[in-house]
Amino acid sequence: MNIAVLKERLERLDQGFAKDDLSEKKVEKALVLDLSDESFYDWVIPEQYLNAYVSGPALGARLWAEFAGANIEEPSTYESNNPIVITSSSLSNSGMPGCESVSIAFRSPVSQTLRFNVGSNTFGMRLRAIGYSALIITGRLRRPAIVDIKRSGVTYNISEVFIGYCVSQIEELVGVGPMTTAMSIGPAGEQKVPFAAVICEGATTGRGGLGCVFGYKNIKSLCITGFDTAFERDGHEESIRKSFQKLYDALDASPYCKAMQRSGSASLVKSGSLKGWAPVFNFSRRTDPRLFHLAGDEVNRRYGPEHGGCIQCPILCRHRTLNGIAIPGYESALMLGSNIACFDMDKIIERYAQCLDFGLDPVSTGNVMGWASEAWSSGLADNLFEPDFSFKDNSKVLPLIEMIARRIGPGEPLSFGTYALGKACNDESFAYTIMGLECGPFDYRGAYAQSVSDSMGFWFTNHFEINSNLCQKDHADWAVLNERLVMGLESYGLSDSMIVPTMVDNLKHPNRLIRIIPKSDIKRIKPTLLAENISTVTGKDVQPETIFELGDRCWRLIYEINRILGFDMLNDTENLLPVHFCIDPDSNHNVDSIVPYRELMDRYCFLRKQTIAFQSADLNLS
Ligand code: SF4
């Protein structure tokens, strides 16, 4: 990789993009942690970056390239040359619904490409409260440490005592509470399990092996203390009040929000079963009547309406049992449940909690166990389990999850992940990965648009296909629209969960027009209400097109960085999707289907080449 070439290319992009400012001019700082000598310092983020990329994943990708070391290709220096960049929302602490998204950019140790994970937690808000818009972590600690960040400075608490601690133990130790939050890893991250996750506020901060990168850097926990009581917003208070009210009215009227509040994202299980994207028995089936037990109505009946949400998110989709235990969203419920032939929500809740406590990504763990169950039943992994092992039995599965995280017993081979297991067994036909990353929770034969963005390494939900019924043809076009919106909103710092209530649920006559005029709904989807709210909060004119523009800039940065990292997203598109989804129509769903992968990718690449051409023409870029 030639990092100098990348920096030169990005400087040309910066200059072109910065001609068209997308954010208010402000001085913003990043806190840089240099782990190699346990130091820290302030770094002023160049104004040009803020104007061109605002915040979130776009700014995170740009800062990642700024701090990436020249020797990132060498395995021995991978961990010290691969920075982690955490960016807060530009709308943080504004009071706008959905304004507290936090983005983490890093190079995945599995796919070797740049990834960004976005979640909603208080980490970004606390970072801003102590005066920073971004946290940049470079280098590598010599020994495991809890890194404690406060307004007064950074403390590195180094000790081998933390080794083997689960996330709950670490959180108790650092005192997670009303003013303090932490991103922590469990034993899986320490053991560099490729699907290890970083856990924050009872949820993973995303996939791609971030927990493994924390493990490489010897960060056991990143703990931050800070709070702010005053709103940070530049607009006129009365206009802000009125535009927030319009937004709340849309959210109140949204059937999607009502379903989420009633039964959480489990309400999507039924549509997954009907549309045929639900993973069942290691992706061999796409539906099952027993999915009823994991679906919204049943979850609501069994566990009641107790629910809450992430900070500042009005969707409130996170449900709990009467004992206060988190009920997993549909992604984890399907992968830890139906994908390994378990349809008992009580058991899935325990599995989910076990994955989080040991620092494993639940979706990826479900994929690995799906492989194990098929390998075992087909005689490929005879000596992996005792004869009485059953994936329906939590007295067997919970210890297996711990063994995967700690790399011991039968968990040791499984901890290498499905890709390595398929290769080791000389049979990759049911090892479902994309660029080495574990698949899930979609059987792509029922979710074509989702397959497009997942193949490109984005992995966020396609709101028009999964969370609504708008996307029924022109799948590549919907995939591009979804990418532009998700990356645009997240780069302003808004949660993408606002898309369905503000852009789909209030669409007049959805699905009817599309039969008469193809792609008509694609053209009608615009983030008008959200753009209006961002404008009133920031005092800067933000149009719906501005959000699309920022999404395209984010995509372009990731494209340029990945090209230098060895993955050309427009040319290296052969065979990214597991072949099973492209050639095997057999399943129990009433519509036989295979993903028309080549056709989808050709259209996607055509549309994305247009993105590059428009940017070049508009900004005189090449
Ligand atoms: S939609 Fe649910 S998971 Fe997403 S930010 Fe809102 S409450 Fe959190």
Coordinates of all heavy atoms in Angstrom, one line a residue, residues 314-359:
P314 N -35.8 8.5 19.5 CA -37.2 8.5 19.8 C -37.9 7.2 19.4 O -39.0 6.9 19.7 CB -37.8 9.7 19.1 CG -36.9 9.8 17.9 CD -35.6 9.3 18.3
I315 N -37.1 6.3 18.7 CA -37.8 5.1 18.2 C -38.0 4.1 19.3 O -38.9 3.3 19.3 CB -36.9 4.5 17.0 CG1 -36.6 5.6 16.0 CG2 -37.6 3.3 16.4 CD1 -36.9 5.5 14.7
L316 N -37.1 4.1 20.2 CA -37.2 3.3 21.5 C -37.5 1.8 21.2 O -38.5 1.2 21.6 CB -38.4 3.8 22.3 CG -38.3 5.3 22.7 CD1 -39.6 5.8 23.4 CD2 -37.1 5.5 23.7
C317 N -36.6 1.2 20.4 CA -36.8 -0.2 20.0 C -36.2 -1.2 20.9 O -36.4 -2.4 20.7 CB -36.3 -0.4 18.5 SG -34.5 -0.6 18.5
R318 N -35.5 -0.8 21.9 CA -34.8 -1.8 22.7 C -35.7 -2.3 23.8 O -36.0 -1.6 24.8 CB -33.5 -1.2 23.2 CG -32.5 -0.9 22.1 CD -31.2 -0.2 22.5 NE -30.3 -1.0 23.3 CZ -29.1 -0.7 23.6 NH1 -28.6 0.5 23.3 NH2 -28.3 -1.5 24.3
H319 N -36.0 -3.6 23.7 CA -37.0 -4.2 24.7 C -36.2 -5.0 25.7 O -35.1 -5.5 25.5 CB -38.0 -5.0 23.9 CG -39.1 -4.2 23.3 ND1 -40.4 -4.3 23.7 CD2 -39.1 -3.2 22.4 CE1 -41.1 -3.5 23.0 NE2 -40.3 -2.8 22.2
R320 N -36.9 -5.1 26.9 CA -36.3 -5.9 28.0 C -37.4 -6.8 28.5 O -38.5 -6.6 28.4 CB -35.9 -4.9 29.1 CG -34.8 -4.0 28.6 CD -34.1 -3.2 29.8 NE -32.9 -2.6 29.2 CZ -31.8 -3.2 29.2 NH1 -31.6 -4.4 29.7 NH2 -30.7 -2.6 28.7
T321 N -36.9 -7.9 29.2 CA -37.8 -8.8 29.9 C -38.3 -8.1 31.1 O -37.7 -7.0 31.5 CB -37.1 -10.1 30.3 OG1 -36.1 -9.8 31.2 CG2 -36.5 -10.8 29.1
L322 N -39.2 -8.7 31.8 CA -39.7 -8.1 33.1 C -38.6 -8.0 34.1 O -38.6 -7.2 35.0 CB -40.9 -8.8 33.6 CG -42.2 -8.7 32.7 CD1 -43.3 -9.6 33.3 CD2 -42.6 -7.3 32.6
N323 N -37.6 -8.9 34.0 CA -36.4 -8.8 34.9 C -35.3 -7.8 34.4 O -34.3 -7.8 35.0 CB -35.8 -10.2 35.0 CG -36.7 -11.2 35.5 OD1 -37.7 -10.9 36.2 ND2 -36.6 -12.5 35.1
G324 N -35.6 -7.1 33.4 CA -34.7 -6.1 32.9 C -33.6 -6.6 32.0 O -32.6 -5.9 31.8
I325 N -33.7 -7.9 31.5 CA -32.7 -8.4 30.6 C -33.0 -8.0 29.2 O -34.1 -8.1 28.7 CB -32.6 -9.9 30.8 CG1 -32.3 -10.3 32.3 CG2 -31.5 -10.6 29.9 CD1 -32.5 -11.7 32.7
A326 N -31.9 -7.6 28.5 CA -32.1 -7.2 27.1 C -32.6 -8.3 26.2 O -32.0 -9.4 26.2 CB -30.8 -6.6 26.6
I327 N -33.6 -8.0 25.4 CA -34.1 -8.9 24.3 C -33.4 -8.5 23.1 O -33.4 -7.4 22.7 CB -35.6 -8.8 24.2 CG1 -36.3 -9.1 25.5 CG2 -36.1 -9.7 23.0 CD1 -37.8 -8.8 25.4
P328 N -32.7 -9.5 22.4 CA -32.0 -9.1 21.2 C -32.8 -8.6 20.1 O -34.0 -9.0 20.0 CB -31.3 -10.5 20.8 CG -32.0 -11.5 21.5 CD -32.7 -10.9 22.7
G329 N -32.3 -7.8 19.2 CA -33.0 -7.4 18.0 C -33.1 -8.6 17.0 O -32.5 -9.7 17.3
Y330 N -33.8 -8.4 15.9 CA -34.0 -9.5 15.0 C -32.8 -10.1 14.5 O -32.7 -11.3 14.2 CB -35.0 -9.0 13.9 CG -34.3 -8.2 12.8 CD1 -33.8 -8.7 11.6 CD2 -34.1 -6.8 13.1 CE1 -33.2 -7.9 10.7 CE2 -33.5 -6.0 12.1 CZ -33.0 -6.5 11.0 OH -32.4 -5.8 10.0
E331 N -31.7 -9.3 14.3 CA -30.5 -9.8 13.7 C -29.9 -10.9 14.5 O -29.6 -12.1 14.1 CB -29.4 -8.7 13.5 CG -29.9 -7.5 12.7 CD -30.3 -6.4 13.6 OE1 -31.0 -6.7 14.7 OE2 -30.2 -5.2 13.3
S332 N -29.7 -10.6 15.8 CA -29.1 -11.6 16.7 C -30.1 -12.8 17.0 O -29.7 -13.9 17.2 CB -28.7 -11.0 18.1 OG -27.8 -9.9 17.8
A333 N -31.4 -12.4 17.1 CA -32.4 -13.5 17.4 C -32.4 -14.5 16.3 O -32.5 -15.7 16.6 CB -33.8 -12.8 17.6
L334 N -32.3 -14.1 15.1 CA -32.3 -15.0 14.0 C -31.0 -15.9 13.9 O -31.1 -17.1 13.7 CB -32.6 -14.3 12.6 CG -33.9 -13.7 12.5 CD1 -34.0 -12.8 11.2 CD2 -35.0 -14.7 12.4
M335 N -29.9 -15.2 14.1 CA -28.7 -15.9 13.9 C -28.3 -16.8 15.1 O -27.8 -17.9 14.9 CB -27.5 -14.9 13.7 CG -27.6 -14.2 12.4 SD -27.7 -15.2 10.9 CE -26.0 -15.8 10.8
L336 N -28.7 -16.4 16.3 CA -28.5 -17.3 17.5 C -29.7 -18.3 17.7 O -29.6 -19.1 18.6 CB -28.3 -16.5 18.7 CG -27.0 -15.6 18.8 CD1 -27.0 -14.7 20.0 CD2 -25.8 -16.5 18.8
G337 N -30.7 -18.1 16.9 CA -31.9 -18.9 17.0 C -32.2 -19.8 15.8 O -31.5 -20.8 15.6
S338 N -33.0 -19.3 14.9 CA -33.4 -20.1 13.8 C -32.2 -20.6 12.9 O -32.3 -21.7 12.4 CB -34.4 -19.3 12.8 OG -33.8 -18.1 12.4
N339 N -31.2 -19.9 12.8 CA -30.0 -20.3 12.0 C -29.4 -21.6 12.6 O -28.7 -22.3 11.9 CB -29.0 -19.2 11.9 CG -28.1 -19.4 10.7 OD1 -28.6 -19.8 9.6 ND2 -26.8 -19.3 10.9
I340 N -29.6 -21.8 13.9 CA -29.0 -23.0 14.5 C -30.2 -23.8 15.1 O -30.0 -24.5 16.1 CB -27.9 -22.7 15.5 CG1 -28.2 -21.6 16.4 CG2 -26.6 -22.5 14.8 CD1 -27.2 -21.3 17.5
A341 N -31.3 -23.7 14.4 CA -32.5 -24.6 14.8 C -33.0 -24.4 16.2 O -33.5 -25.4 16.8 CB -32.1 -26.1 14.5
C342 N -32.9 -23.2 16.7 CA -33.5 -22.9 18.0 C -34.6 -21.9 17.9 O -34.3 -20.8 17.3 CB -32.4 -22.5 19.0 SG -33.0 -21.9 20.6
F343 N -35.8 -22.2 18.4 CA -36.9 -21.2 18.3 C -37.4 -20.8 19.6 O -38.6 -20.5 19.8 CB -38.0 -21.8 17.4 CG -37.5 -22.1 16.0 CD1 -36.9 -23.3 15.6 CD2 -37.7 -21.1 15.0 CE1 -36.5 -23.5 14.3 CE2 -37.2 -21.3 13.7 CZ -36.6 -22.5 13.3
D344 N -36.6 -20.9 20.6 CA -37.0 -20.6 22.0 C -36.4 -19.3 22.4 O -35.1 -19.2 22.6 CB -36.6 -21.7 22.9 CG -37.0 -21.5 24.3 OD1 -37.3 -20.3 24.7 OD2 -37.1 -22.5 25.1
M345 N -37.2 -18.2 22.5 CA -36.6 -16.9 22.8 C -35.9 -16.8 24.1 O -34.9 -16.1 24.3 CB -37.8 -15.8 22.7 CG -37.3 -14.4 22.5 SD -36.2 -14.2 21.1 CE -36.3 -12.5 20.8
D346 N -36.4 -17.5 25.1 CA -35.7 -17.5 26.4 C -34.2 -17.9 26.3 O -33.3 -17.3 26.9 CB -36.4 -18.4 27.4 CG -37.7 -17.9 27.9 OD1 -37.9 -16.6 27.8 OD2 -38.5 -18.6 28.5
K347 N -34.0 -19.0 25.5 CA -32.7 -19.5 25.3 C -31.8 -18.5 24.5 O -30.7 -18.2 24.8 CB -32.7 -20.8 24.6 CG -33.2 -21.9 25.4 CD -33.2 -23.2 24.6 CE -33.9 -24.3 25.5 NZ -34.2 -25.5 24.7
I348 N -32.5 -17.9 23.5 CA -31.7 -16.9 22.6 C -31.3 -15.7 23.5 O -30.2 -15.2 23.3 CB -32.6 -16.5 21.4 CG1 -32.9 -17.7 20.5 CG2 -32.0 -15.4 20.6 CD1 -33.9 -17.5 19.5
I349 N -32.2 -15.3 24.4 CA -31.8 -14.1 25.3 C -30.6 -14.4 26.1 O -29.7 -13.6 26.2 CB -33.0 -13.8 26.2 CG1 -34.2 -13.1 25.4 CG2 -32.6 -12.9 27.3 CD1 -35.5 -12.9 26.1
E350 N -30.5 -15.7 26.6 CA -29.3 -16.1 27.3 C -28.0 -16.1 26.5 O -27.0 -15.7 26.8 CB -29.5 -17.4 28.0 CG -30.5 -17.4 29.1 CD -30.7 -18.8 29.7 OE1 -30.3 -19.8 29.1 OE2 -31.4 -18.9 30.7
R351 N -28.2 -16.6 25.2 CA -27.1 -16.7 24.3 C -26.5 -15.3 24.0 O -25.3 -15.1 23.9 CB -27.5 -17.4 23.0 CG -27.8 -18.8 23.2 CD -28.5 -19.5 22.0 NE -28.9 -20.8 22.4 CZ -29.2 -21.8 21.5 NH1 -29.2 -21.5 20.2 NH2 -29.6 -22.9 21.9
Y352 N -27.5 -14.4 23.7 CA -27.2 -13.0 23.4 C -26.3 -12.4 24.5 O -25.3 -11.8 24.3 CB -28.5 -12.3 23.1 CG -28.3 -10.8 22.8 CD1 -27.7 -10.4 21.5 CD2 -28.7 -9.8 23.6 CE1 -27.6 -9.1 21.2 CE2 -28.6 -8.5 23.3 CZ -28.0 -8.1 22.1 OH -27.9 -6.8 21.7
A353 N -26.8 -12.5 25.7 CA -26.2 -11.9 26.9 C -24.8 -12.6 27.0 O -23.8 -11.9 27.3 CB -27.0 -12.2 28.2
Q354 N -24.7 -13.9 26.8 CA -23.4 -14.5 26.9 C -22.4 -14.0 25.9 O -21.2 -13.7 26.2 CB -23.6 -16.1 26.7 CG -22.3 -16.9 26.9 CD -22.1 -17.3 28.3 OE1 -22.6 -16.6 29.3 NE2 -21.4 -18.4 28.6
C355 N -22.8 -13.8 24.6 CA -22.0 -13.3 23.6 C -21.5 -11.9 24.0 O -20.3 -11.6 23.8 CB -22.7 -13.1 22.2 SG -23.0 -14.7 21.4
L356 N -22.4 -11.0 24.4 CA -22.0 -9.6 24.8 C -21.0 -9.7 25.9 O -20.0 -8.9 25.9 CB -23.2 -8.8 25.1 CG -24.2 -8.5 24.0 CD1 -25.2 -7.5 24.5 CD2 -23.5 -8.0 22.8
D357 N -21.2 -10.5 26.9 CA -20.4 -10.5 28.1 C -18.9 -11.0 27.7 O -18.0 -10.5 28.3 CB -21.0 -11.4 29.2 CG -20.5 -10.9 30.6 OD1 -20.1 -9.7 30.7 OD2 -20.5 -11.7 31.5
F358 N -18.9 -11.9 26.8 CA -17.5 -12.5 26.4 C -17.0 -11.7 25.2 O -15.9 -12.0 24.8 CB -17.6 -14.0 26.1 CG -17.7 -14.8 27.4 CD1 -18.9 -15.1 28.0 CD2 -16.5 -15.1 28.0 CE1 -18.9 -15.8 29.2 CE2 -16.5 -15.8 29.2 CZ -17.8 -16.1 29.8
G359 N -17.7 -10.7 24.8 CA -17.1 -9.8 23.7 C -17.2 -10.4 22.4 O -16.3 -10.1 21.5

